[in-house]
Amino acid sequence: GTRTIAHLLSQRSGLHDFWQSKAFIKAFKQQGRDRFWPPEDCLLYVLPLKPSFEAGTSYEYTDTNFVLCGLLVEAVGGQSLHAFLRERVFDPLCMNQTYMSYREQVPEGDVSHRYEGSKSL
């Protein structure tokens, strides 16, 4: 069925989460967690799958929805997601210590980091 941007943003699209794909996890472990995974690469693991449910009929959190939203921002905004966010969100709000990992250099000074368990990444 038809999926809308509202379905993606509200986690009601029915699309699978690539983090739940055994094939993706295997590739992720083999290729290393420090590799940059282009959005299109992540989507290869889930878009061929039949949706979990008809769009709008249930709720299931999935990073796939946000990856697709990021690609939509790039297509409509005419620039990369990190450039779009830098220009339209981070810089106007003086969010000088905010950045997109793998896409921008880590700012100097204090920045927060991603954690997995008790390990800072």
Side-chain angles (χ1 to χ4, degrees), residues 65-85:
N65 291 325
F66 292 121
V67 168
L68 287 168
C69 286
L71 290 171
L72 285 168
V73 168
E74 290 182 347
V76 172
Q79 61 190 121
S80 66
L81 179 61
H82 67 280
F84 183 91
L85 290 173

Side-chain angles (χ1 to χ4, degrees), residues 8-27:
L8 297 174
L9 290 172
S10 65
Q11 300 295 316
R12 298 176 65 80
S13 71
L15 297 174
H16 292 273
D17 190 346
F18 57 88
W19 285 108
Q20 301 302 316
S21 162
K22 291 179 183 176
F24 177 79
I25 295 300
K26 181 179 178 182

Side-chain angles (χ1 to χ4, degrees), residues 96-97 106-111:
N96 302 321
Q97 300 306 111
V106 178
E108 292 185 27
D110 295 329
V111 295

Side-chain angles (χ1 to χ4, degrees), residues 76-113:
V76 172
Q79 61 190 121
S80 66
L81 179 61
H82 67 280
F84 183 91
L85 290 173
R86 171 83 31 224
E87 179 183 309
R88 303 217 181 181
V89 179
F90 301 156
D91 286 348
L93 295 175
C94 298
M95 297 172 67
N96 302 321
Q97 300 306 111
T98 302
Y99 70 103
M100 287 188 68
S101 58
Y102 301 107
R103 306 256 178 131
E104 299 179 292
Q105 289 191 348
V106 178
E108 292 185 27
D110 295 329
V111 295
S112 63
H113 297 275

